[in-house]
Amino acid sequence: MSALIALHGLIAMIWVGGMFFAYVVLRPAAQTIEAPLRLRLWSRTFERFFPWVWAAIVILPASGYFLIATRLGGFAHLPLAINVMQGLGIVMILLFLHVFFAPYRRLRTGVEAGDFVKAGQALRQIRQLIGVNMVLGLITVFVALAGVA
Ligand code: HEM
């Protein structure tokens, strides 16, 4: 059971850490690169990062609800930290699905077609949404570790 909690924590770390690296480190570092190259860089970066996020949005709720059912005795007396994690986790998953199916798709098609205006608008939207999701992720991990430990 502790291996499952560790897997849950590990995949959360990969998702939130990946967003932190993209938003706080790569974004300012890439700002001076010319638009066509920068947009291609981001498109390829997301292409490699998003499969990990897909793994996270499957593993986090699956392992989390399994732990609730088997370790915490169901939903009746859940600690506040778990409820906050569950709520913020669902919002984060929905935001990611929106990023994946709307602006990320436009970024990819824009880059492929050489339409860098369209791709640039899409990247701005992705940046805002990943910024929000990163903050939610950091809060979730903080609440989980402060309330669960
Ligand atoms: C989506 C629904 C989610 C559910 C139902 C859920 C449920 C749980 C449960 C039941 C535990 C173990 C508590 C215990 O046994 O004492 C846990 C731990 C944890 N969760 Fe979640 N969780 C969810 C999403 C997330 C998300 C989105 C993140 C972070 C991005 C996250 C980060 C953590 C962390 C860091 C721990 C502590 C792990 C450890 O101590 O090793 N969870 N979660």
Side-chain angles (χ1 to χ4, degrees):
M1 198 62 75
S2 54
L4 193 63
I5 299 180
L7 174 71
H8 184 93
L10 198 63
I11 195 74
M13 187 198 80
I14 290 171
W15 184 11
V16 179
M19 289 193 289
F20 186 88
F21 176 79
Y23 196 87
V24 177
V25 180
L26 187 55
R27 188 177 60 93
Q31 239 159 16
T32 51
I33 301 174
E34 281 173 59
L37 267 184
R38 183 165 41 83
L39 291 161
R40 254 188 224 112
L41 170 71
W42 279 112
S43 183
R44 288 184 196 162
T45 302
F46 293 138
E47 196 182 325
R48 278 162 186 76
F49 178 50
F50 285 170
W52 291 99
V53 182
W54 276 103
I57 69 171
V58 172
I59 292 172
L60 282 172
S63 54
Y65 289 121
F66 183 81
L67 286 165
I68 288 174
T70 55
R71 218 173 94 98
L72 303 180
F75 288 90
H77 307 288
L78 274 187
L80 179 64
I82 303 288
N83 273 325
V84 171
M85 181 185 340
Q86 188 187 175
L88 292 181
I90 291 167
V91 175
M92 288 175 66
I93 289 168
L94 293 176
L95 277 177
F96 169 72
L97 290 173
H98 176 71
V99 165
F100 189 87
F101 288 110
Y104 172 55
R105 181 166 284 180
R106 287 196 292 276
L107 172 68
R108 268 193 350 229
T109 53
V111 165
E112 275 160 25
D115 183 347
F116 296 111
V117 175
K118 175 181 162 183
Q121 281 166 354
L123 183 62
R124 266 192 295 282
Q125 286 167 1
I126 295 174
R127 186 187 67 215
Q128 286 165 356
L129 292 171
I130 289 191
V132 171
N133 243 7
M134 180 193 70
V135 172
L136 292 181
L138 290 172
I139 294 171
T140 307
V141 171
F142 185 87
V143 168
L145 294 179
V148 169

